[in-house]
Amino acid sequence: MVKVKIVGATGYGGIGLIELLAQHPEAEIVALVAREDVGRRVSEVYPHLEGFCDLPILDAEDPRAAGAEADVVVFSTPDRVGMFEAGKALAQGAKVLDFSGDFRFTTAEAYADYATRHGKEPTHGAPELLGKNAYGLAELHREAIRKAPVVGNPGCFACSCILGLAPAAHARLFDPMSVICDCKTGVSGAGKKLAATHHFPARYENMNAYKLAGHQHVCEVERELSLQYGEAVRLTFTAQVVPLCRGIMSTLYAQLAAPATEEALVALYKAFYKDSPFVRVYGSKAPVGSNCVARTNFCDLVVSVDARTNRLRVVSYIDNLMKGQAGSALQNINLMAGLPETLGLMRPGMYP
Amino acid sequence: MVKVKIVGATGYGGIGLIELLAQHPEAEIVALVAREDVGRRVSEVYPHLEGFCDLPILDAEDPRAAGAEADVVVFSTPDRVGMFEAGKALAQGAKVLDFSGDFRFTTAEAYADYATRHGKEPTHGAPELLGKNAYGLAELHREAIRKAPVVGNPGCFACSCILGLAPAAHARLFDPMSVICDCKTGVSGAGKKLAATHHFPARYENMNAYKLAGHQHVCEVERELSLQYGEAVRLTFTAQVVPLCRGIMSTLYAQLAAPATEEALVALYKAFYKDSPFVRVYGSKAPVGSNCVARTNFCDLVVSVDARTNRLRVVSYIDNLMKGQAGSALQNINLMAGLPETLGLMRPGMYP
Amino acid sequence: MVKVKIVGATGYGGIGLIELLAQHPEAEIVALVAREDVGRRVSEVYPHLEGFCDLPILDAEDPRAAGAEADVVVFSTPDRVGMFEAGKALAQGAKVLDFSGDFRFTTAEAYADYATRHGKEPTHGAPELLGKNAYGLAELHREAIRKAPVVGNPGCFACSCILGLAPAAHARLFDPMSVICDCKTGVSGAGKKLAATHHFPARYENMNAYKLAGHQHVCEVERELSLQYGEAVRLTFTAQVVPLCRGIMSTLYAQLAAPATEEALVALYKAFYKDSPFVRVYGSKAPVGSNCVARTNFCDLVVSVDARTNRLRVVSYIDNLMKGQAGSALQNINLMAGLPETLGLMRPGMYP
Amino acid sequence: MVKVKIVGATGYGGIGLIELLAQHPEAEIVALVAREDVGRRVSEVYPHLEGFCDLPILDAEDPRAAGAEADVVVFSTPDRVGMFEAGKALAQGAKVLDFSGDFRFTTAEAYADYATRHGKEPTHGAPELLGKNAYGLAELHREAIRKAPVVGNPGCFACSCILGLAPAAHARLFDPMSVICDCKTGVSGAGKKLAATHHFPARYENMNAYKLAGHQHVCEVERELSLQYGEAVRLTFTAQVVPLCRGIMSTLYAQLAAPATEEALVALYKAFYKDSPFVRVYGSKAPVGSNCVARTNFCDLVVSVDARTNRLRVVSYIDNLMKGQAGSALQNINLMAGLPETLGLMRPGMYP
């Protein structure tokens, strides 16, 4: 039975993880920490949890939280929170899983590059942990995640892009300077914080590109694809928001080094992911859309070739709050706790 | 292990039940029957089922379907299909659960009244089964459902209205001629069949009342409320469609016979449903909406009194495809098979 | 050429009025006042206005605003703003149109009742103007609006309910204690102010009733229907929000004093509104929905009778931001300026 | 007063044009032709047109249709209808505007290429007209449209892509083999015809790429960009559908031949479109989204450079049913009739 403490329990990531853990046969939530609604039962504020999780929301300093015996402490918190708290959790014998960018990079330089792009302070708060941490994308770093004391959960866009291009990068099929990631996300990707641009009437029947000057996820995508490629991959990334709640559709383009057929690529992708139960690979005729992965931990990849221009085109679908956040988190917790990777996660979506 | 055969497996009700049964610890699907896509794997047509249910879609006459050994045969079919097939299933030793209006009434007269209102042929196809059947609303007919050979799953609107007014009817709190049911459903309530009114662009940012001349669900609501009341209850029912996929919000009004407080009514409702784990009762200040029950089998009731006019007002929320269809169906299958009522159904919704 | 100054120009009501006035052949905007974005061109903040209205947003004290020569000053402001500013505008020779509840009531007592229900200070700020003001629902108070120095634009829900029941009230067809108004609004009805309940992800695929303890619009509905009836009408009112941007669907019920046919009622309603070009009356079979009135100033009424229970049922559709706000406002401005009531407003909706 | 006859009057394009013409000061609709609902008033079937256009829907052979004296006959019909009817209209002295691909190409070869890609018969039905026709994108072919007897209205995706890249192509700023068009459309882009993929529940909270094997609009985009460039431009095109009603967002990428700044590009684009009132050019910081152009004839272009990879990135927003269809059509009719290009079209969108 893995004991989990969640810090930042009432954001989308935290609540999503509570929902999953509440149904998990081998996990137990030992404490919920948040800054709002302290003292209330979480199910009072989120009635859909009633009977599933009725724990109180605690202040971080509350002895029931600070002293909770946890195997894994999850920081579902913004950038630059987990890095200052991780050491304490490790000292108490727990492992740490962080949802922000704090532990997605393994050197102070890489973190500084990311933080700068993200408009954050570039100095890491726990440089001694960098290098010991793992990047929490199980499909590429399964073994490292099992062993690492600290794991950085991937960004949602990053997860969709990396899974979509890793097999082709690994096989060095494309020009590493030719990659374009055109990404669309549902509005929940922006989190729970109120914003004029995400007010329902402003967002209804509206779509737009944003952060055109540069999105912070580009760092981890380039790093991971470069690792697979064995050479620097550089890409153009466009973030766009469309009016649905959950879902990411990332359309990924790269110039093929040599002509290739869709069949050959589909086979290569399937082989690459043969031990990854949450990645499903399809050719261009499969009736796949973001609703096939909605509310699940799956990533569905539709692989095709634009023969006229000799371009690889992969459409990568995930649920931004599941495979892009709480689902990957539970996948990581399972690995960190020595449990089967799929435990509590293997369920179909719902139609329609 | 209860063996289930589903006829009409590829409509919303059928697929919903497949999704639930695929995760059920004590159930097994033995055959899927439908008229379209015969011969294909169900997961080829509905990719989200891949790995969860890969059974072939069979013609009704296929020996693998006709001869399947089932404990329960589910007819997720339109009106006037199940009534002609139920006898055969019973003869093979199975119990029958029907999703249409075919077995919601226990006399030929009551059926004729319903069918006429619904624009169907009034003569029942299996009158010998009427009286042996049970109305499949577990909260009111748990024992009868356990024993009946044939169960008629309730209509989605009906389910929300009956659960919302049954406690007050049972206590005879209101004038039985004063009831108004103002019901709003998401578009999936109309099923999978294409219609100009449910084409996405026609339905986007559009809401309207329909069937103003009379909706067929009114029969079962009046019957059930009258049974609870011990006297004829007659009501006005309005069906309305709003642009979301899943969800019913029924706002129910009745003139109170004597002044009552919200507190007293909430207590009375909670007592009435104390053994019904899928009904949750709230007062008027609870932050409940249709998303609290979305993709679950719960019915959330918000009970209040309009003191100025001495009216009871109950807002009843369900997911029309879960408690309104496949969820109630599994609840019934559990009862029919002697399993715990909540097996495979007790899970929270997802936020947001 | 009527000169209009808009105070509170950047809320939904203000922007909506700018859009209409920008295309109006006989109107001119002379000043825009708001508290945010002062100093910027309105089209910088709202790019869709570029080329249509490029006026600067001014502080109320700016001489260009305070000294603007306006024929009508519009207060598109929250409750208890316009009442303190109206006198100054009148002194400068302008008429006043207010969007809040400040001038919807003609006595200090009626205002106090409304304000109390709305959780506001009950003392009116300009009692000397009460009695001189008109209720800005042109269909019922056309002549008064033409002459009044101060007009209170109606509430959006109120507009839909009053128009839907006024003809039957005027003819005293129903029991005045039997009225129920079940109202559904799109999310824009809650205005531009950010709220957790109107954050896009929280509102997507979600609907709920709110303010069950009492909605402030009930006062003006009861007052207007009582005026038509010649006797006190008392009603139950339910406000509900559904996930679309624009639109109100109010379903209105009343117990008929004597049996009546739909045909007779449709005829009576048509006669009542024969000089009101923005009200269209239909029987229960017309394919009318909220999209028929979206982005227009029309109110579409679907009149029917539930013969089983002898109840009148009217479904009233408006666009909450047009007939429910900016459209009615322009209709009032036209009347106040001696222009044809329909000028700049007579255009069809858009399909789909 | 230009007299317009519309064939295919009850599809989205036809109804959209009726809405515009009903408010146009210099146009008159002389006949409406369709295959469904013949004999009914168009406003009976589309109630939002009541009082704006109450003409009957006529069969093509009806003398009131066949003999109508029209200055412009509009074919709002599928491919391979207008080409067989255009001659007759021309013989009666009318000009022809066709919404399909029939007259978007000026040689039989180019048409055959398009038709083949589109899965249609490759032989043109009126080859004698090819070469006399004009491509109906006013911003690039204003003069030709004024004079041509036959005009082919552009495809909606094509319109957004061509306007987005024409200035850069004209200036030969990019590698002509490097272009990628990643296009997202609202569901109304697929028209009024029912389809399982556009049934509301199937489309709600769902997005997907489609026609990955090749979309027919690519032909006209490559042709127009090549014309501007003076050399063959070849591109990868991805069509995607997102769950909103109206709107196209096309994100366009091309490798810059030499480094360029956003400022310089914005200036170049503004200069290119200085005489095109419906194209508005913005830099990457403008708060522009598809809602800025919704229900208008504008195309909003957000021009930026990804300096890290030296790529041009243009986000092009239109309303697929306005600038992408009926709006461009009226712009063309104005030109064909010698009227000001903007007549009846210059109005702002609506917020929110």
Side-chain angles (χ1 to χ4, degrees), chain A residues 244-302:
Chain A
L244 40 70
C245 179
R246 285 167 175 254
I248 281 178
M249 167 170 68
S250 292
T251 310
L252 311 166
Y253 304 90
Q255 197 70 40
L256 287 166
T261 64
E262 180 177 312
E263 276 167 345
L265 288 166
V266 166
L268 180 139
Y269 269 65
K270 286 195 171 178
F272 188 90
Y273 287 121
K274 71 178 187 322
D275 298 322
S276 290
F278 292 118
V279 181
R280 300 183 293 206
V281 178
Y282 299 92
S284 61
K285 293 204 176 103
V288 173
S290 68
N291 62 348
C292 289
V293 300
R295 294 163 206 274
T296 79
N297 198 46
F298 290 98
C299 174
D300 282 3
L301 301 177
V302 174

Coordinates of all heavy atoms in Angstrom, one line a residue, chain A residues 244-302:
Chain A
L244 N -12.8 23.5 -25.9 CA -13.3 22.3 -25.2 C -12.6 22.2 -23.9 O -11.6 23.0 -23.6 CB -13.1 21.0 -26.1 CG -11.8 20.8 -26.9 CD1 -10.7 20.5 -26.0 CD2 -12.1 19.7 -27.9
C245 N -13.0 21.3 -23.0 CA -12.5 21.3 -21.7 C -11.2 20.5 -21.7 O -10.1 21.0 -21.3 CB -13.5 20.7 -20.7 SG -12.9 20.6 -19.0
R246 N -11.2 19.3 -22.1 CA -10.1 18.4 -22.0 C -9.6 17.9 -23.4 O -10.4 17.6 -24.2 CB -10.4 17.1 -21.2 CG -10.6 17.3 -19.7 CD -11.3 16.1 -19.1 NE -11.3 16.2 -17.7 CZ -10.5 15.5 -16.9 NH1 -9.7 14.6 -17.3 NH2 -10.6 15.6 -15.6
G247 N -8.3 17.8 -23.6 CA -7.8 17.3 -24.8 C -6.6 18.1 -25.4 O -6.6 19.3 -25.3
I248 N -5.7 17.3 -25.9 CA -4.6 18.0 -26.7 C -4.5 17.2 -28.0 O -4.6 16.0 -28.0 CB -3.3 17.9 -25.9 CG1 -3.2 19.0 -24.9 CG2 -2.1 18.0 -26.9 CD1 -1.9 19.0 -24.1
M249 N -4.4 18.0 -29.1 CA -4.2 17.4 -30.4 C -2.9 18.1 -30.9 O -3.0 19.3 -31.2 CB -5.3 17.7 -31.3 CG -5.0 17.4 -32.8 SD -6.5 17.4 -33.9 CE -7.0 19.1 -33.9
S250 N -1.8 17.4 -31.0 CA -0.5 18.0 -31.5 C -0.2 17.4 -32.8 O -0.1 16.2 -33.0 CB 0.6 17.7 -30.5 OG 0.4 18.4 -29.3
T251 N -0.2 18.3 -33.8 CA 0.2 17.9 -35.2 C 1.6 18.2 -35.4 O 2.1 19.4 -35.3 CB -0.8 18.6 -36.2 OG1 -2.1 18.4 -35.7 CG2 -0.7 18.0 -37.5
L252 N 2.4 17.2 -35.7 CA 3.8 17.2 -35.7 C 4.4 17.0 -37.1 O 4.0 16.0 -37.7 CB 4.4 16.2 -34.7 CG 3.7 16.2 -33.3 CD1 4.0 14.9 -32.6 CD2 4.0 17.4 -32.5
Y253 N 5.2 17.8 -37.5 CA 5.8 17.7 -38.9 C 7.3 17.6 -38.9 O 7.9 18.3 -38.1 CB 5.4 19.0 -39.7 CG 3.9 19.3 -39.8 CD1 3.3 20.1 -38.8 CD2 3.1 18.8 -40.8 CE1 2.0 20.4 -38.9 CE2 1.8 19.1 -40.9 CZ 1.2 19.9 -39.9 OH -0.1 20.2 -40.0
A254 N 7.8 16.8 -39.8 CA 9.3 16.8 -39.9 C 9.6 16.3 -41.4 O 8.9 15.5 -41.9 CB 9.9 15.9 -38.9
Q255 N 10.7 16.9 -41.9 CA 11.1 16.6 -43.2 C 11.8 15.2 -43.2 O 12.8 15.1 -42.5 CB 12.0 17.7 -43.8 CG 12.2 17.7 -45.3 CD 10.9 18.1 -46.0 OE1 10.3 19.0 -45.6 NE2 10.7 17.4 -47.1
L256 N 11.3 14.3 -43.9 CA 11.9 12.9 -43.9 C 13.3 13.0 -44.7 O 13.4 13.6 -45.7 CB 11.0 11.9 -44.6 CG 9.8 11.5 -43.7 CD1 8.8 10.7 -44.5 CD2 10.3 10.7 -42.5
A257 N 14.2 12.3 -44.1 CA 15.6 12.3 -44.8 C 15.5 11.4 -46.0 O 16.1 11.7 -47.0 CB 16.6 11.7 -43.8
A258 N 14.6 10.4 -46.0 CA 14.4 9.5 -47.2 C 13.0 9.2 -47.3 O 12.3 9.2 -46.3 CB 15.3 8.3 -47.1
P259 N 12.4 8.9 -48.5 CA 11.0 8.6 -48.6 C 10.7 7.4 -47.7 O 11.5 6.5 -47.5 CB 10.9 8.2 -50.1 CG 12.0 9.0 -50.8 CD 13.1 9.0 -49.8
A260 N 9.5 7.4 -47.2 CA 9.1 6.3 -46.3 C 7.6 6.1 -46.5 O 6.9 7.1 -46.9 CB 9.4 6.6 -44.9
T261 N 7.1 4.9 -46.3 CA 5.7 4.7 -46.4 C 5.0 4.8 -45.0 O 5.7 4.5 -44.0 CB 5.4 3.3 -47.0 OG1 5.8 2.3 -46.0 CG2 6.1 3.1 -48.3
E262 N 3.7 5.1 -45.1 CA 3.0 5.1 -43.8 C 3.1 3.7 -43.1 O 3.3 3.7 -41.9 CB 1.5 5.4 -44.1 CG 0.6 5.5 -42.9 CD -0.8 5.9 -43.3 OE1 -1.0 6.9 -44.0 OE2 -1.7 5.2 -42.8
E263 N 2.9 2.7 -43.9 CA 3.0 1.3 -43.3 C 4.3 1.1 -42.6 O 4.3 0.5 -41.4 CB 2.9 0.3 -44.4 CG 1.4 0.0 -44.8 CD 1.4 -0.8 -46.1 OE1 2.4 -0.9 -46.8 OE2 0.3 -1.4 -46.4
A264 N 5.4 1.4 -43.2 CA 6.7 1.2 -42.5 C 6.8 2.0 -41.3 O 7.3 1.5 -40.2 CB 7.8 1.6 -43.5
L265 N 6.3 3.2 -41.3 CA 6.3 4.1 -40.1 C 5.4 3.6 -39.0 O 5.8 3.6 -37.8 CB 6.0 5.5 -40.5 CG 7.1 6.2 -41.3 CD1 6.6 7.5 -41.9 CD2 8.3 6.5 -40.4
V266 N 4.3 3.2 -39.4 CA 3.4 2.6 -38.4 C 4.0 1.4 -37.7 O 4.0 1.3 -36.5 CB 2.0 2.2 -39.0 CG1 1.2 1.4 -38.0 CG2 1.2 3.5 -39.4
A267 N 4.6 0.6 -38.5 CA 5.3 -0.6 -37.9 C 6.4 -0.2 -37.0 O 6.6 -0.8 -35.9 CB 5.8 -1.5 -39.1
L268 N 7.2 0.8 -37.4 CA 8.3 1.2 -36.6 C 7.8 1.8 -35.3 O 8.3 1.6 -34.2 CB 9.1 2.3 -37.4 CG 10.3 2.9 -36.7 CD1 11.5 3.1 -37.7 CD2 10.0 4.3 -36.1
Y269 N 6.7 2.6 -35.4 CA 6.2 3.2 -34.1 C 5.6 2.1 -33.2 O 5.8 2.1 -32.0 CB 5.1 4.2 -34.5 CG 5.5 5.6 -34.6 CD1 6.4 6.0 -35.7 CD2 5.1 6.6 -33.8 CE1 6.9 7.3 -35.8 CE2 5.6 7.9 -33.9 CZ 6.4 8.3 -34.9 OH 6.9 9.5 -35.1
K270 N 4.9 1.1 -33.8 CA 4.4 0.1 -32.9 C 5.5 -0.7 -32.2 O 5.4 -1.1 -31.1 CB 3.5 -0.9 -33.8 CG 2.2 -0.3 -34.2 CD 1.2 -1.3 -34.7 CE -0.2 -0.7 -34.8 NZ -1.2 -1.6 -35.4
A271 N 6.5 -1.0 -33.0 CA 7.7 -1.7 -32.4 C 8.3 -0.9 -31.2 O 8.6 -1.4 -30.1 CB 8.7 -2.0 -33.4
F272 N 8.4 0.4 -31.5 CA 9.0 1.3 -30.4 C 8.2 1.2 -29.1 O 8.8 1.3 -28.0 CB 9.1 2.7 -31.0 CG 9.9 3.7 -30.1 CD1 11.2 3.9 -30.3 CD2 9.2 4.4 -29.1 CE1 11.9 4.8 -29.5 CE2 9.9 5.3 -28.3 CZ 11.3 5.5 -28.5
Y273 N 6.9 1.2 -29.3 CA 6.0 1.3 -28.1 C 5.5 -0.1 -27.7 O 4.5 -0.1 -27.0 CB 4.9 2.3 -28.4 CG 5.4 3.7 -28.3 CD1 5.2 4.5 -29.5 CD2 6.0 4.3 -27.2 CE1 5.6 5.9 -29.4 CE2 6.4 5.6 -27.2 CZ 6.2 6.4 -28.3 OH 6.7 7.7 -28.3
K274 N 6.1 -1.2 -28.1 CA 5.5 -2.5 -27.9 C 5.3 -2.8 -26.4 O 4.5 -3.5 -26.0 CB 6.2 -3.6 -28.6 CG 7.6 -3.9 -28.1 CD 8.1 -5.1 -28.9 CE 9.4 -5.6 -28.3 NZ 10.3 -4.6 -27.8
D275 N 6.2 -2.2 -25.5 CA 6.1 -2.4 -24.1 C 5.4 -1.2 -23.3 O 5.5 -1.1 -22.1 CB 7.5 -2.7 -23.5 CG 8.0 -4.0 -24.1 OD1 7.3 -4.9 -24.3 OD2 9.3 -4.0 -24.4
S276 N 4.8 -0.4 -24.1 CA 4.2 0.8 -23.5 C 2.7 0.7 -23.7 O 2.1 1.1 -24.7 CB 4.7 2.1 -24.1 OG 6.1 2.3 -23.7
P277 N 2.0 0.2 -22.6 CA 0.5 -0.1 -22.9 C -0.4 1.1 -23.0 O -1.5 1.0 -23.5 CB 0.1 -0.9 -21.6 CG 1.2 -0.5 -20.6 CD 2.5 -0.3 -21.3
F278 N 0.2 2.3 -22.7 CA -0.7 3.5 -22.9 C -0.5 4.2 -24.2 O -1.2 5.3 -24.4 CB -0.5 4.4 -21.7 CG -1.0 3.9 -20.4 CD1 -0.1 3.6 -19.3 CD2 -2.4 3.5 -20.2 CE1 -0.6 3.1 -18.1 CE2 -2.8 3.0 -19.0 CZ -1.9 2.8 -18.0
V279 N 0.3 3.7 -25.1 CA 0.5 4.3 -26.4 C -0.1 3.4 -27.4 O 0.3 2.2 -27.5 CB 2.0 4.6 -26.7 CG1 2.1 5.3 -28.0 CG2 2.6 5.5 -25.6
R280 N -1.0 4.0 -28.2 CA -1.6 3.2 -29.3 C -1.3 3.9 -30.6 O -1.4 5.1 -30.7 CB -3.2 3.1 -29.1 CG -3.5 2.4 -27.8 CD -5.0 2.3 -27.6 NE -5.7 3.5 -27.4 CZ -6.9 3.7 -26.8 NH1 -7.5 2.6 -26.2 NH2 -7.5 4.9 -26.7
V281 N -0.9 3.1 -31.6 CA -0.5 3.6 -32.9 C -1.4 3.3 -34.0 O -1.9 2.1 -34.1 CB 1.0 3.1 -33.2 CG1 1.4 3.6 -34.6 CG2 1.9 3.5 -32.1
Y282 N -1.8 4.3 -34.8 CA -2.7 4.1 -35.9 C -2.2 4.6 -37.2 O -1.4 5.6 -37.2 CB -4.1 4.8 -35.6 CG -4.7 4.3 -34.4 CD1 -4.5 4.8 -33.1 CD2 -5.6 3.2 -34.4 CE1 -5.1 4.4 -32.0 CE2 -6.3 2.7 -33.3 CZ -6.0 3.3 -32.1 OH -6.6 2.8 -30.9
G283 N -2.7 4.1 -38.3 CA -2.5 4.8 -39.6 C -3.5 5.8 -39.9 O -4.4 6.1 -39.1
S284 N -3.4 6.5 -41.1 CA -4.2 7.7 -41.3 C -5.7 7.4 -41.5 O -6.4 8.4 -41.5 CB -3.6 8.4 -42.5 OG -3.7 7.6 -43.7
K285 N -6.1 6.2 -41.6 CA -7.5 6.0 -41.9 C -8.3 5.6 -40.6 O -9.5 5.5 -40.7 CB -7.7 4.9 -42.9 CG -7.1 5.3 -44.3 CD -7.7 4.6 -45.4 CE -7.2 5.1 -46.7 NZ -6.2 4.3 -47.3
A286 N -7.6 5.5 -39.5 CA -8.3 5.1 -38.3 C -9.2 6.3 -37.8 O -8.8 7.4 -37.9 CB -7.3 4.7 -37.2
P287 N -10.4 6.0 -37.3 CA -11.3 7.0 -36.9 C -11.0 7.5 -35.5 O -11.8 7.4 -34.6 CB -12.7 6.3 -36.9 CG -12.4 4.9 -36.6 CD -11.0 4.6 -37.2
V288 N -9.8 8.1 -35.3 CA -9.3 8.5 -34.0 C -9.5 10.0 -33.9 O -9.2 10.7 -34.8 CB -7.8 8.0 -33.9 CG1 -7.3 8.6 -32.6 CG2 -7.7 6.5 -33.9
G289 N -9.9 10.4 -32.7 CA -10.0 11.8 -32.3 C -9.7 11.9 -30.9 O -9.5 10.9 -30.2
S290 N -9.7 13.2 -30.4 CA -9.3 13.4 -29.0 C -10.3 12.7 -28.0 O -10.0 12.4 -26.9 CB -9.2 14.9 -28.7 OG -10.5 15.5 -28.7
N291 N -11.5 12.4 -28.5 CA -12.5 11.8 -27.6 C -12.1 10.3 -27.3 O -12.6 9.7 -26.4 CB -13.9 11.9 -28.1 CG -14.1 11.2 -29.4 OD1 -13.2 10.9 -30.1 ND2 -15.4 11.1 -29.8
C292 N -11.3 9.7 -28.2 CA -10.8 8.3 -27.9 C -10.0 8.2 -26.7 O -9.9 7.2 -26.1 CB -10.1 7.8 -29.1 SG -11.1 7.5 -30.5
V293 N -9.3 9.3 -26.3 CA -8.4 9.3 -25.2 C -8.9 10.1 -24.0 O -8.3 10.1 -22.9 CB -7.0 9.8 -25.5 CG1 -6.4 8.9 -26.6 CG2 -7.0 11.3 -26.0
A294 N -10.0 10.8 -24.2 CA -10.6 11.6 -23.2 C -10.8 10.9 -21.9 O -11.4 9.8 -21.9 CB -11.9 12.3 -23.6
R295 N -10.4 11.4 -20.8 CA -10.6 10.8 -19.4 C -9.9 9.5 -19.3 O -10.2 8.7 -18.5 CB -12.1 10.7 -19.1 CG -12.7 12.1 -19.0 CD -14.2 12.3 -19.1 NE -14.5 13.6 -19.6 CZ -14.6 14.7 -18.9 NH1 -14.5 14.6 -17.6 NH2 -14.9 15.8 -19.4
T296 N -8.8 9.3 -20.1 CA -8.0 8.1 -19.9 C -6.5 8.5 -20.0 O -6.2 9.6 -20.2 CB -8.2 7.1 -21.1 OG1 -7.4 7.6 -22.3 CG2 -9.6 7.0 -21.5
N297 N -5.7 7.5 -19.7 CA -4.2 7.7 -19.7 C -3.6 7.4 -21.1 O -2.4 7.3 -21.2 CB -3.6 6.9 -18.6 CG -2.2 7.4 -18.2 OD1 -2.0 8.6 -18.1 ND2 -1.2 6.5 -18.2
F298 N -4.4 7.2 -22.1 CA -3.8 6.8 -23.4 C -3.2 8.0 -24.2 O -3.7 9.1 -24.0 CB -4.8 6.1 -24.2 CG -5.2 4.7 -23.7 CD1 -6.3 4.5 -22.9 CD2 -4.3 3.6 -24.0 CE1 -6.6 3.3 -22.4 CE2 -4.6 2.4 -23.5 CZ -5.8 2.2 -22.7
C299 N -2.3 7.7 -25.0 CA -1.8 8.6 -26.0 C -2.0 7.9 -27.4 O -1.5 6.8 -27.6 CB -0.3 8.9 -25.9 SG 0.3 9.9 -27.2
D300 N -2.9 8.4 -28.2 CA -3.1 7.8 -29.5 C -2.4 8.6 -30.6 O -2.5 9.8 -30.7 CB -4.6 7.8 -29.8 CG -5.4 6.7 -29.1 OD1 -4.8 6.0 -28.3 OD2 -6.6 6.6 -29.3
L301 N -1.6 7.8 -31.4 CA -0.8 8.5 -32.4 C -1.2 8.0 -33.8 O -1.4 6.8 -34.1 CB 0.7 8.0 -32.2 CG 1.4 8.4 -30.9 CD1 2.8 7.8 -30.9 CD2 1.4 9.9 -30.7
V302 N -1.5 9.0 -34.6 CA -1.9 8.7 -36.0 C -0.7 9.1 -36.9 O -0.4 10.3 -37.0 CB -3.2 9.5 -36.4 CG1 -3.5 9.3 -37.9 CG2 -4.4 9.0 -35.5

